[in-house]
């Protein structure tokens, strides 16, 4: 039976069919749905959200060592967080098969950078598959488990947004559950201390040779001969673009097992050609290796190193064809993402934006949308958890030069549990004075509402301990803590004033559920229900103070010069009511 | 049959663009076509645009199209149609809903909502305007605007009789909403000549 599946659904299916038993991940676009789909098989396996990618990878290492097939999934930048355990796990190798999914995001549809994680496979000296559609995503996931156990190493499955989020037809199979592999204590394999690791490194180099040989015969690396004089080497989604652009006018070498590269097979493929193109998104990963092996080819000289490809782009860059399109001039309107109606981040972000000469160190999450108009509540973002440590570093630098600058960090609950927690540990330990604001909306919002260590539920839907952020901060020894309701602007404003006045480390925690969150019983008990706001138009003076809250539920009619509230979008948060000077907004 | 048909369905988060695309793609797969569908919904929940691309034919390689490749555009929101024009073939069909969703840029008075989209496009392209909200309300609820436009898309491609659409709606939609969606679909089909 064939089904239309996204790449992520297909990876989940592949894990299930291959007898996978333990999966762990931290959400991140475009990888999030892998674990969400694995959780549909929860009666037959175990899966979880880890607090961050390093923990996910390590949990799966444990499961593999114990003898089960395990899979860890993450977005590209997640692998930076998880790189430490992965580099050494590459030395020890596995017991049960291990698949690491790295989902890259060319064009940065929803990411902070565009790094090409294929370099990691090479740097870690492990091997890598790159699917180009959903069928391959499933097949390669299953094959990766086999290769992992055969060659004794973790195997990377590298996807990109378009593979993860595109649907194509997949043949559905049965789950085959292998016996658990016996756990045998073996320090010479699993205890990475210098004396043992030196021996393991020798093993790794030997393994690399065996993998290079395997690559030459791997069924996912193959040539398509159309009797042409132009040849294309391509991997991942770029293969589909090239195939569409060149049709039957080129020969193809489809690279599915892309590290180590099947160099000799490509050399042979290239030998009868006049021109060899390498079509790969982002870095010249294959191109550089082919050139180093003395195989002349053209890649980044003609194709961009930035962003995504598509068939038209390949056609224009390599075939020099100009593709005509509908040509009409008509005005466009902006539609940038904004904080939702009723977003509990709005209150604090609005108040932060009003503070003069404040440096706001931002983090990754919905509150990042507070950087733009009308909030202007952010100076910088680097990566998850960095807001607190960066604010700390700024504060210390200003102190060194005797400058009195106010610095705050803002960070979400999921991001706090991810790595913000250790940043705060560092700040407290080092007597940091930058103010920390933790925006707890009781869920991981940005990536689509995944539970986290503070939300009270597991990925498998079971109630669990909800870890109190306030208790953690207190346990660190912070004495100055304020928990505020972010729907109350005055409370936010006063908390900020209080925070800036403290001589020692201070932390503000806002606590209110995401406006899009499905309330748990605990949420209902704690926060209750809100009723919607309305505008009494006889009182409205058209001053637009409500409009400047940035709430998308507020409609301003420029003909009548009056505000109105969209009753479908309004959640009743009352932020607009609080800024209305004439009392025109009520319930 | 060898030809690959490329469809671009666009709208704003929450309009049901992805559901309509899914229904269509699954129907095409059942008809024995190769189908690929790609969606970008990055921040759609936060008011951003949503676009899905569907491609079907005997054999489909790329799940996405580049500039100048779409045969048909269905826009669930009027001004959103303008964002995708470069992706359309010069002779593409455009099916545009006259339903408007004002973005924050307009609500806050920073930008003007474009008034001339349909007029500008109609001058040079093959445009059908669908009164999706009106038809959806006639069918029973504004919520089935996406199914009205699915009907319009199906008619635009001339597939209204070759597929058992009612059967597909019966299989995918909750029992209580089947009749309403069938009617919405039919009104969408009739809206395109
Ligand atoms: C290392 C890393 N992992 C995952 C992500 C993806 N990501 C971006 S924002 C976010 C969630 C933020 O949740 P939270 O801090 O609770 O803020 P909210 O969006 O709920 O406001 C995630 C998981 C990332 N950018 N970097």
């Amino acid at each position: 039976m064939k089904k239309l599946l996204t790449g992520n659904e297909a990876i989940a299916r592949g894990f299930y069919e291959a007898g996978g038993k333990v999966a762990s991940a931290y959400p991140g676009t475009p990888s999030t749905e892998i674990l969400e789909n694995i959780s549909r098989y929860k009666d037959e396996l175990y899966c979880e959200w880890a607090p961050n990618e390093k923990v996910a990878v390590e949990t799966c290492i444990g499961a593999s060592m114990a003898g089960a097939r395990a899979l860890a999934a993450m977005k590209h930048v997640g692998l930076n967080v998880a790189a430490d355990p992965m580099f050494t796990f590459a030395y020890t190798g596995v017991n049960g098969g291990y698949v690491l999914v790295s989902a890259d995001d060319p064009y940065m549809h929803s990411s902070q950078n565009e790094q090409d994680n294929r370099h990691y496979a090479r740097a870690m000296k492990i091997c890598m598959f790159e699917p180009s559609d959903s069928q391959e995503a499933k097949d390669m996931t299953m094959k990766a488990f086999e290769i992992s156990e055969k060659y004794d190493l973790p195997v990377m499955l590298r996807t990109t947004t378009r593979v993860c989020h595109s649907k194509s037809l997949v043949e559905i199979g049965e789950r085959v559950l292998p016996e658990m592999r016996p756990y045998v204590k073996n320090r010479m394999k699993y205890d990475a201390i210098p004396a043992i690791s030196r021996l393991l490194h020798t093993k790794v180099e030997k393994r690399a040779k065996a993998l290079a040989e395997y690559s030459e015969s791997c069924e996912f690396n193959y040539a398509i001969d159309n009797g042409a004089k132009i040849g294309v080497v391509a991997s991942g989604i770029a293969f589909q673009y090239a195939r569409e652009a060149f049709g039957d006018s080129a020969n193809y070498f489809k690279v599915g097992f892309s590290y180590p590269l099947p160099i000799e097979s490509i050399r042979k493929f290239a030998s009868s050609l006049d021109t060899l193109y390498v079509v790969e998104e982002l870095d010249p990963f294959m191109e550089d290796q082919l050139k180093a092996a003395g195989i002349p080819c053209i890649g980044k000289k003609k194709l961009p190193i930035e962003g995504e490809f598509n068939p038209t782009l390949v056609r224009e860059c390599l075939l020099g064809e100009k593709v005509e399109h509908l040509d009409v001039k008509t005005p466009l309107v902006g539609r940038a993402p904004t904080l939702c109606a009723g977003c509990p981040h709005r209150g604090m972000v609005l108040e932060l934006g009003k503070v003069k000469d404040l440096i706001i160190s931002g983090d990754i999450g919905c509150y990042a949308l507070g950087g733009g108009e009308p909030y202007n509540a952010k100076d910088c973002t680097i990566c998850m958890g960095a807001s607190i440590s960066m604010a700390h570093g700024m504060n210390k630098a200003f102190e060194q030069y005797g400058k009195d600058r106010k610095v705050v960090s803002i960070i979400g609950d999921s991001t706090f549990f991810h790595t913000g927690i250790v940043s705060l540990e560092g700040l407290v330990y080092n007597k940091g004075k930058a103010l920390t604001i933790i925006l707890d909306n009781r869920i991981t919002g940005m990536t689509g509402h995944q539970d986290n260590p503070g939300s009270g539920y597991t990925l498998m839907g079971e109630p669990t301990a909800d870890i109190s952020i306030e208790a953690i901060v207190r346990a660190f020894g912070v004495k100055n803590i304020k928990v505020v309701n972010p729907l109350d602007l005055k409370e936010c404003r006063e908390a900020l004033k209080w925070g800036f006045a403290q001589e020692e480390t201070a932390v503000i925690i806002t606590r209110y559920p995401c406006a899009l969150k499905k309330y748990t019983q605990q949420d209902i008990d704690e926060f209750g229900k809100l009723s919607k706001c309305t505008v009494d138009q006889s009182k409205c003076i058209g001053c637009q103070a409500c409009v400047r809250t940035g709430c998308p539920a507020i409609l301003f009619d420029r003909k009548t010069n009056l505000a109105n509230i969209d009753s479908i979008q309004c959640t009743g948060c009352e932020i607009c009511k609080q800024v209305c000077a004439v009392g025109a907004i009520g319930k | 049959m060898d030809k690959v048909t490329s469809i671009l369905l666009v709208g704003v988060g929450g309009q049901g663009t992805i559901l309509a695309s899914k229904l269509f793609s699954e129907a095409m797969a059942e008809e024995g076509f190769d189908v690929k569908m790609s969606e970008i919904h990055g921040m759609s929940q936060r008011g951003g645009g949503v676009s899905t691309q569907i491609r079907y034919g005997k054999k489909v390689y790329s799940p996405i199209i580049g500039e100048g490749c779409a045969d048909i555009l269905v826009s669930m929101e009027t001004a959103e149609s303008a964002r995708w024009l470069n992706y359309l073939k010069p002779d593409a069909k455009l099916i545009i809903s006259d339903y408007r969703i004002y973005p924050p840029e307009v609500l806050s008075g920073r930008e003007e909502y474009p008034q001339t989209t349909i007029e500008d496009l109609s001058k040079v392209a093959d445009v059908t305007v669908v009164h999706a909200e009106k038809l959806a309300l006639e069918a029973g609820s504004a919520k089935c605007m996406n199914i009205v436009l699915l009907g319009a898309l199906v008619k635009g491609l001339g597939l209204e009789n070759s597929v058992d659409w009612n059967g597909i709606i019966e299989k995918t939609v909750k029992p209580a909403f089947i009749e309403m969606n069938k009617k919405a679909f039919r009104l969408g089909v009739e809206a395109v000549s």
Side-chain angles (χ1 to χ4, degrees):
Chain A
M1 187 194 45
K2 282 197 171 187
K3 274 181 91 169
L4 263 181
L5 300 183
T6 62
N8 284 346
E9 289 167 337
I11 292 168
R13 183 72 203 179
F15 176 69
Y16 172 77
E17 288 181 18
K21 269 293 182 190
V22 176
S24 186
Y26 181 70
T29 316
S31 70
T32 311
E33 301 84 4
I34 297 171
L35 263 274
E36 289 178 334
N37 279 287
I38 286 178
S39 77
R40 289 167 45 195
Y41 308 112
K42 67 182 178 193
D43 293 341
E44 296 171 71
L45 48 77
Y46 173 77
C47 58
E48 63 171 31
W49 290 128
N52 68 33
E53 293 84 353
K54 177 176 185 288
V55 174
V57 156
E58 290 158 351
T59 301
C60 291
I61 291 175
S64 162
M65 281 185 182
R69 285 189 163 183
L71 177 145
M74 60 211 62
K75 73 182 281 153
H76 60 337
V77 287
L79 188 48
N80 301 335
V81 180
D84 192 11
M86 277 308 302
F87 271 87
T88 303
F89 185 39
Y91 274 36
T92 68
V94 305
N95 184 19
Y98 191 107
V99 174
L100 168 82
V101 185
S102 165
D104 294 10
D105 189 19
Y107 184 67
M108 300 172 271
H109 290 280
S110 27
S111 301
Q112 64 268 40
N113 79 20
E114 206 171 17
Q115 69 189 49
D116 187 334
N117 274 10
R118 293 178 299 169
H119 297 296
Y120 266 124
R122 193 177 186 192
M124 290 174 181
K125 305 187 185 227
I126 60 176
C127 62
M128 166 169 63
F129 286 92
E130 270 186 87
S132 69
D133 62 22
S134 300
Q135 182 70 55
E136 284 186 355
K138 192 193 101 170
D139 294 345
M140 288 180 180
T141 303
M142 298 177 73
K143 189 73 184 177
F145 278 110
E146 201 186 305
I147 295 299
S148 169
E149 286 166 4
K150 183 162 175 206
Y151 290 89
D152 191 5
L153 83 168
V155 176
M156 181 162 149
L157 185 80
R158 188 260 190 174
T159 63
T160 54
T161 301
R162 294 295 180 176
V163 174
C164 293
H165 286 171
S166 295
K167 286 193 183 218
S168 56
L169 290 164
V170 178
E171 189 67 48
I172 301 298
E174 296 290 321
R175 174 163 161 100
V176 179
L177 190 60
E179 291 270 316
M180 187 176 189
R181 297 180 146 218
Y183 176 78
V184 182
K185 179 167 167 154
N186 183 357
R187 278 193 63 219
M188 295 308 287
K189 176 167 163 57
Y190 293 120
D191 190 3
I193 56 169
I196 295 175
S197 289
R198 281 181 210 115
L199 303 173
L200 292 175
H201 189 179
T202 307
K203 214 176 78 181
V204 165
E205 298 304 333
K206 222 157 127 196
R207 185 182 73 195
K209 290 209 177 77
L211 287 166
E213 252 166 59
Y214 166 72
S215 182
E216 304 289 348
S217 63
C218 172
E219 71 258 38
F220 292 107
N221 292 334
Y222 58 89
I224 300 169
D225 185 1
N226 287 320
K229 282 286 154 199
I230 293 177
V232 173
V233 174
S235 68
I237 197 70
F239 169 72
Q240 306 288 2
Y241 303 154
R243 193 92 204 255
E244 181 132 349
F246 284 92
D248 292 339
S249 71
N251 294 354
Y252 300 91
F253 196 96
K254 161 80 165 79
V255 181
F257 184 81
S258 62
Y259 194 80
L261 271 180
I263 293 280
E264 294 316 314
S265 305
I266 297 175
R267 196 189 302 283
K268 196 166 142 244
F269 171 77
S271 63
S272 64
L273 301 169
D274 294 341
T275 313
L276 181 65
Y277 292 119
V278 182
V279 182
E280 55 187 330
E281 288 179 321
L282 302 178
D283 293 345
F285 180 75
M286 297 194 290
E287 181 185 349
D288 286 351
Q289 293 180 66
L290 294 183
K291 283 184 172 155
I295 303 170
C297 55
I298 301 168
K300 295 298 158 186
K301 206 170 99 190
K302 295 203 162 185
L303 288 158
I305 198 164
E306 295 170 37
E308 280 192 303
F309 292 178
N310 62 55
T312 306
L313 178 140
V314 174
R315 212 172 283 155
E316 292 187 342
C317 292
L318 298 185
L319 294 167
E321 286 174 24
K322 186 82 197 112
V323 180
E324 297 290 318
H325 58 74
L326 182 68
D327 193 12
V328 202
K329 294 256 167 311
T330 186
L332 271 180
V333 66
R335 202 180 286 276
T338 48
L339 295 179
C340 304
C343 174
H345 297 328
R346 179 170 281 105
M348 186 52 93
V349 163
L350 271 171
E351 290 304 325
L352 277 168
K354 285 196 257 172
V355 180
K356 278 233 158 53
D357 294 326
L358 178 64
I359 298 176
I360 304 171
S361 172
D363 220 303
I364 314 235
C366 289
Y367 41 92
L369 296 168
E373 289 288 344
Y375 311 104
N376 301 309
K378 188 171 61 173
D379 286 54
C380 51
T381 315
I382 294 289
C383 69
M384 290 193 74
S387 58
I388 301 176
S389 16
M390 282 161 59
H392 173 58
M394 284 183 177
N395 168 247
K396 292 291 178 192
F398 286 126
E399 274 179 8
Q400 284 297 307
Y401 288 93
K403 289 194 173 27
D404 185 22
R405 288 294 306 255
K406 282 200 283 287
V407 185
V408 329
S409 59
I410 53 171
I411 183 166
D413 50 333
S414 188
T415 306
F416 177 74
F417 286 114
H418 179 274
T419 35
I421 192 167
V422 280
S423 300
L424 183 64
E425 190 184 315
L427 181 145
V428 175
Y429 169 54
N430 293 302
K431 300 161 160 280
K433 296 216 186 76
L435 178 61
T436 301
I437 303 176
I438 304 168
L439 304 170
D440 180 6
N441 62 356
R442 316 296 304 125
I443 203 79
T444 314
M446 187 69 130
T447 42
H449 300 112
Q450 293 74 30
D451 279 293
N452 69 44
S455 74
Y457 287 86
T458 66
L459 170 61
M460 292 166 68
E462 288 164 1
T464 182
D466 66 277
I467 301 173
S468 156
I469 296 177
E470 186 186 348
I472 292 173
V473 177
R474 208 169 290 289
F476 282 168
V478 178
K479 290 186 202 76
N480 305 314
I481 306 172
K482 248 196 191 356
V483 181
V484 303
N485 172 8
L487 303 191
D488 188 328
L489 291 176
K490 187 157 164 261
E491 217 176 303
C492 292
R493 200 154 51 231
E494 284 173 358
L496 287 176
K497 226 160 132 195
W498 164 86
F500 294 133
Q502 299 308 310
E503 287 297 322
E504 284 179 3
T505 305
V507 175
I508 297 170
I509 302 165
T510 68
R511 186 175 161 97
Y512 205 89
C514 169
L516 303 177
K517 186 186 176 188
K518 208 170 146 226
Y519 272 29
T520 61
Q521 189 55 47
Q522 193 210 333
D523 291 329
I524 296 168
D525 296 344
E526 185 178 345
F527 303 99
K529 275 197 89 145
L530 302 172
S531 58
K532 295 175 190 291
C533 296
T534 52
V535 179
D536 178 347
Q537 296 205 330
S538 67
K539 289 192 191 157
C540 177
I541 55 165
C543 71
Q544 301 193 38
C546 54
V547 171
R548 286 188 295 274
T549 65
C551 177
I554 304 210
L555 318 171
F556 192 78
D557 188 334
R558 277 196 270 180
K559 284 195 204 90
T560 59
N561 209 30
L562 294 173
N564 207 338
I565 291 174
D566 174 3
S567 65
I568 296 176
Q569 286 196 68
C570 176
T571 67
C573 75
E574 296 187 18
I575 296 279
C576 56
K577 185 164 173 258
Q578 296 164 61
V579 299
C580 181
V582 294
I585 298 176
K587 292 250 163 155
Chain B
M1 181 76 179
D2 267 6
K3 182 186 173 296
V4 173
T5 303
S6 303
I7 303 163
L8 199 51
L9 253 141
V10 307
V12 176
Q15 282 198 285
T17 318
I18 290 172
L19 179 75
S21 306
K22 214 178 125 190
L23 254 155
F24 184 88
S25 308
E26 273 165 12
M28 289 301 109
E30 253 177 59
E31 285 299 294
F33 287 104
D34 190 15
V35 186
K36 289 192 175 171
M37 168 188 155
S38 179
E39 56 189 60
I40 284 295
H41 46 77
M43 310 236 260
S44 56
Q45 274 189 317
R46 282 134 209 101
V50 189
S51 69
T52 67
Q53 309 189 0
I54 307 166
R55 310 192 69 216
Y56 69 94
K58 193 166 160 208
K59 173 77 195 154
V60 180
Y61 292 111
S62 170
I64 61 160
I65 52 169
E67 296 204 337
C69 290
D71 296 283
I72 187 163
L73 167 83
V74 177
S75 187
M76 305 230 176
E77 198 276 345
T78 312
E80 279 306 293
S81 57
R83 215 181 295 288
W84 300 94
L85 301 174
N86 286 359
Y87 286 81
L88 306 185
K89 288 182 179 165
D91 62 349
K93 269 192 189 156
L94 288 82
I95 294 174
I96 303 177
S97 168
D98 62 357
Y99 186 70
R100 293 174 170 193
I101 298 176
Y102 294 122
E105 286 80 349
V106 171
L107 297 175
S108 62
R110 272 178 283 144
E111 284 183 41
E112 191 89 55
Y113 189 89
Q115 300 296 330
T116 57
T117 313
I118 287 172
E119 195 185 314
D120 294 344
L121 297 181
S122 302
K123 275 186 207 142
V124 283
D126 173 3
V127 175
T128 306
V129 179
V130 178
H131 308 296
E133 186 182 29
K134 184 173 146 267
L135 297 176
L137 286 171
E138 197 178 319
S141 161
K143 286 212 171 113
C144 49
M145 267 195 267
N146 60 340
I147 303 299
V148 170
L149 286 155
L150 175 66
L153 166 68
V154 164
K155 180 69 190 296
L157 293 166
L159 295 170
E160 67 277 19
N161 296 322
S162 54
V163 179
D164 173 19
W165 293 102
N166 279 336
I168 284 165
I169 291 171
E170 278 163 23
K171 258 195 295 183
T172 5
V173 175
K174 281 202 193 110
F177 302 115
I178 289 175
E179 283 315 311
M180 181 173 88
N181 280 290
K182 278 192 198 168
K183 185 165 178 199
F185 184 84
R186 183 171 51 77
L187 291 172
V189 168
E190 287 165 7
V192 178
S193 56

